[in-house]
């Protein structure tokens, strides 16, 4: 037993030394959740990059326009609306392995930085029993409110399942996002 402990000791010491230490509130400033006044939502269709083969999509882009760093949910809740302002009932697909899912840490946005997610959905009548809706606006729920932006698109699904869309996790962007941004 002593030999086993002696052999494992270097590995345990190395793994403990390599583990980053969490900062306590006394050591550093805690970043608070973004407010709607700090965040601008845009949908970037990337010049039609998502369109084809009965599919469409857009980058969801959240930009911190404030003067303080703040956090947003890594997979924010999106609500879609039609031209009449009626809620479109569409659900994000649950990525494989997320049942109920891992804990997703928030994305920290420094002032002037963005995070984005490539949203995709079916836009053509490809199902035996189709249901489609014309999207006019999307709203993202934040911890302290919501932000909204226009988006003109068509979303289709099977009536037995309903409208669905892919929503990967938000990823911080180091450089400005694509140029074709639909602004509110």
């Amino acid at each position: 037993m002593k030999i086993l402990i002696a052999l494992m000791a270097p590995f345990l010491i190395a793994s403990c030394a390599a583990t980053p230490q969490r900062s306590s509130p006394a050591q550093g400033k805690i970043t608070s959740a973004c407010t709607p006044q700090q965040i601008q939502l845009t949908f970037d269709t990337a010049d039609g990059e998502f369109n084809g083969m009965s599919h469409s999509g857009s980058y969801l882009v959240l930009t911190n326009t404030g003067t303080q760093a703040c956090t947003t949910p890594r997979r924010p809740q999106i609500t879609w609306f039609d031209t009449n302002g009626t809620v479109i009932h569409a659900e994000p697909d649950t990525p494989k392995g997320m049942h109920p899912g891992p804990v997703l840490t928030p994305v920290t946005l420094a002032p002037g930085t963005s995070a984005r997610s490539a949203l995709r959905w079916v836009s053509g009548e490809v199902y035996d029993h189709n249901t489609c809706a014309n999207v006019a606006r999307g709203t993202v729920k934040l911890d302290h409110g919501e932000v909204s932006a226009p988006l003109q698109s068509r979303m289709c699904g099977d009536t037995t399942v309903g409208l669905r869309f892919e929503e990967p996790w938000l990823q911080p962007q180091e450089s400005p996002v694509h140029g074709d941004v639909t602004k509110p």
Side-chain angles (χ1 to χ4, degrees):
M1 183 67 150
K2 290 181 183 180
I3 294 174
L4 179 61
I5 293 173
L7 291 173
M8 291 186 64
F11 295 108
L12 292 172
I13 292 169
S15 67
C16 290
T19 303
Q21 298 297 315
R22 294 183 154 225
S23 60
S24 68
Q27 291 175 325
K29 185 176 179 184
I30 302 227
T31 305
S32 61
C34 297
T35 65
Q37 295 77 23
Q38 292 174 286
I39 292 294
Q40 178 184 17
L41 167 65
T42 51
F43 291 103
D44 179 357
T45 58
D47 295 326
E49 178 181 313
F50 297 92
N51 297 338
M53 301 298 291
S54 299
H55 285 78
S56 190
S58 174
Y59 288 112
L60 177 151
V61 183
L62 294 177
T63 303
N64 181 351
T65 59
T67 59
Q68 303 276 332
C70 63
T71 62
T72 66
R74 185 156 306 266
R75 192 165 190 247
Q77 179 184 336
I78 304 169
T79 304
W80 304 105
F81 296 90
D82 66 13
T83 55
N84 296 322
T86 304
V87 172
I88 296 170
H89 297 284
E91 295 293 323
D93 286 330
T94 302
K96 292 178 182 176
M98 285 191 64
H99 302 286
V103 174
L104 299 177
T105 58
V107 175
T108 300
L109 295 175
T113 63
S114 299
R116 75 178 184 177
S117 175
L119 307 177
R120 290 180 172 79
W121 52 82
V122 174
S123 61
E125 297 180 10
V126 298
Y127 300 99
D128 290 334
H129 304 284
N130 289 295
T131 182
C132 296
N134 292 318
V135 177
R137 177 168 289 283
T139 297
V140 169
K141 183 178 181 190
L142 302 172
D143 288 347
H144 301 293
E146 56 188 35
V147 289
S148 190
L151 172 68
Q152 293 185 3
S153 191
R154 182 173 171 84
M155 194 179 288
C156 296
D158 187 311
T159 55
T160 61
V161 178
L163 301 177
R164 315 258 337 144
F165 61 96
E166 294 176 21
E167 181 189 3
W169 302 341
L170 279 172
Q171 298 297 322
Q173 300 297 295
E174 293 183 16
S175 60
V177 294
H178 197 274
D180 177 28
V181 176
T182 306
K183 295 189 177 181

